[in-house]
């Protein structure tokens, strides 16, 4: 397996690549203590076609070797329920394939986000129980379309950008402000969205949150807490750091939607220059983070 050491970053200037930690007053180097190992998979786009389910299951076996504490799933879990011609039967078959594929994760928690291809918008009516984001949230087993949870001294906030203008709705923004206010000092925040909040590649592929300015300002207000933003959607691997927040858009498990690719693919199954893969994050007690993208050839 090829591995890209995508980025190792510290929240303090003294953090050293590959060896997170801080320099003590006497000049000795204190190694930061690991808090959590987390897998970030995104854009699985699973569907019952050819050997795609088997290939995804083999990918999950690779992911499991990293002995992570839990999995963050960035959305677009199923191939596409959002297109006009998708029937109830076809949408349900995609979700059934998702259920079957993630069974081998048994015992490893998976916390998901809703992608733009997950909701079924063309239900016969908005009253249909399978219509829209709420049903997608139910299928991936999350308590609400946006939610949070805490592990050790890390707070995880999962957003839903499937609203007009690819934004948080007003209620969700107020909730997020309150969530960040309530994080105690000395704790760290990782946010996961489907659409990147700040992205290098959004200029030519995918896109980004329409409310990125408001989010950027909010994160700056909480700059002692907000460390990482994870996303997918663009199927491209990119990273940037702004105001000491690290933004990782971690490619796509499905690469070119599990297909061979096109004339722009740098290799088989690639989307443009990004190979199919997933990321493993190491989160440290001091807020340092490592994000490594593992390409797969499955
Ligand atoms: Fe996608
Ligand atoms: Fe997407």
């Amino acid at each position: 397996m090829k591995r890209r050491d995508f980025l190792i970053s510290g929240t303090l200037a003294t953090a050293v690549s590959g060896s997170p930690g801080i320099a003590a007053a006497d000049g000795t180097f204190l190694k930061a203590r690991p808090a959590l190992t987390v897998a970030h998979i995104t854009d699985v786009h699973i569907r019952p076609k050819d050997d795609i389910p088997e290939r995804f299951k083999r990918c999950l076996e690779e992911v499991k070797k990293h002995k992570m504490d839990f999995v963050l799933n960035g959305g677009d879990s199923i191939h596409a329920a959002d297109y006009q011609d998708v029937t109830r039967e076809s949408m349900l078959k995609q979700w059934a394939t998702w259920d079957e594929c993630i069974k081998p994760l048994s015992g490893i928690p998976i916390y998901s986000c809703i992608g733009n291809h997950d909701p079924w918008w063309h239900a016969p009516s908005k009253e249909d129980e399978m219509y829209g984001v709420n049903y997608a949230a139910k299928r991936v087993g999350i308590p609400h379309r946006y939610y949070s949870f805490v592990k050790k001294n890390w707070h995880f906030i999962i957003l839903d950008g499937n609203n007009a203008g690819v934004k948080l709705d007003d209620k969700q923004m107020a909730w997020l402000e309150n969530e960040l206010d309530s994080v105690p000092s000395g704790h760290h925040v990782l946010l996961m969205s489907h659409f990147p909040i700040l992205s290098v590649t959004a200029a030519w592929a995918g896109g980004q949150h329409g409310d990125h300015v408001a989010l950027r300002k909010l994160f700056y207000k909480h700059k002692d807490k907000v460390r990482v933003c994870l996303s997918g959607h663009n199927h491209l691997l990119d990273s940037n750091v702004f105001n000491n927040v690290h933004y990782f858009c971690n490619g796509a498990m499905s690469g070119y939607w599990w297909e061979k690719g096109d004339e722009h693919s740098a290799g088989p199954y690639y989307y443009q220059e990004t190979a199919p893969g997933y990321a493993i994050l190491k989160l440290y007690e001091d807020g340092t983070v490592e994000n490594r993208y593992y390409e797969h050839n499955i």
Side-chain angles (χ1 to χ4, degrees):
M1 183 192 297
K2 286 184 283 181
R3 189 188 76 188
R4 280 185 190 170
D5 285 359
F6 190 29
L7 188 64
I8 297 175
S9 57
T11 55
L12 298 171
T14 45
V16 172
S17 181
S19 183
I22 57 173
D26 64 0
T28 57
F29 195 74
L30 304 172
K31 196 164 170 53
R33 286 194 298 185
L36 296 161
T37 299
V38 179
H40 178 218
I41 67 172
T42 189
D43 297 81
V44 172
H45 288 282
I46 200 67
R47 61 194 187 279
K49 184 184 175 230
D50 305 329
D51 57 353
I52 292 172
E54 289 312 311
R55 287 162 65 199
F56 176 42
K57 282 186 201 170
R58 281 178 11 230
C59 290
L60 287 180
E61 289 308 314
E62 293 289 331
V63 174
K64 279 164 74 175
K65 288 178 187 165
H66 295 279
K67 307 267 181 246
M68 65 282 185
D69 294 287
F70 57 89
V71 176
L72 290 171
N73 166 35
D76 282 359
S77 303
I78 57 171
H79 184 57
D82 59 316
Y83 296 141
Q84 195 130 22
D85 58 348
V86 175
T87 62
R88 186 187 305 273
E89 185 191 14
S90 149
M91 177 269 294
L92 288 173
K93 272 188 186 162
Q94 294 178 56
W95 281 120
T97 309
W98 171 259
D99 292 343
E100 181 215 320
C101 287
I102 62 160
K103 258 187 215 160
L105 278 180
S106 58
I108 304 170
I110 177 164
Y111 298 94
S112 296
C113 178
I114 306 300
N116 53 306
H117 290 297
D118 296 320
W120 189 45
W121 296 116
H122 299 285
S125 81
K126 289 187 180 179
E127 282 67 50
D128 192 295
E129 60 160 336
M130 296 179 188
Y131 171 83
V133 172
N134 290 340
Y135 182 71
K138 188 175 163 187
R139 291 306 305 245
V140 290
I142 58 179
H144 189 252
R145 61 190 178 87
Y146 52 88
Y147 61 104
S148 67
F149 58 96
V150 183
K151 302 276 184 189
K152 299 191 175 167
N153 67 334
W154 279 84
H155 292 239
F156 298 85
I157 299 178
I158 315 300
L159 302 175
D160 171 30
N162 292 290
N163 305 291
V166 194
K167 294 176 178 178
L168 306 187
D169 47 283
D170 292 346
K171 197 173 167 193
Q172 185 179 177
M173 184 63 91
W175 169 84
L176 175 60
E177 288 167 4
N178 189 51
E179 283 287 308
L180 291 174
D181 279 341
S182 65
V183 172
S185 69
H187 285 214
H188 316 294
V189 176
L190 178 153
L191 296 103
M192 177 170 69
S193 57
H194 178 65
F195 312 99
I197 292 171
L198 190 61
S199 162
V200 175
T201 59
W204 73 86
Q208 71 181 119
H209 258 260
D211 48 1
H212 58 90
V213 173
L215 290 169
R216 177 190 102 206
K217 288 182 176 174
L218 180 61
F219 299 164
Y220 190 71
K221 184 182 165 199
H222 295 281
K223 58 184 183 296
D224 56 330
K225 301 173 184 172
V226 180
R227 306 286 181 227
V228 193
C229 291
L230 299 180
S231 69
H233 184 62
N234 293 0
H235 289 223
L236 292 172
L237 179 64
D238 82 32
S239 77
N240 64 83
V241 55
F242 187 69
N243 291 340
N244 214 25
V245 178
H246 299 268
Y247 297 83
F248 301 110
C249 184
N250 278 323
M253 183 65 98
S254 64
Y256 195 90
W257 295 268
W258 302 103
E259 307 282 351
K260 284 277 185 192
D262 63 10
E263 71 274 21
H264 304 294
S265 300
Y269 308 107
Y270 279 53
Y271 180 62
Q272 299 180 8
E273 291 87 7
T274 296
Y278 59 89
I280 299 293
L281 288 103
K282 302 274 185 196
L283 306 178
Y284 291 82
E285 284 183 358
D286 70 350
T288 307
V289 57
E290 296 173 28
N291 183 96
R292 292 180 178 175
Y293 190 72
Y294 289 78
E295 300 176 357
H296 72 72
N297 301 303
I298 295 173

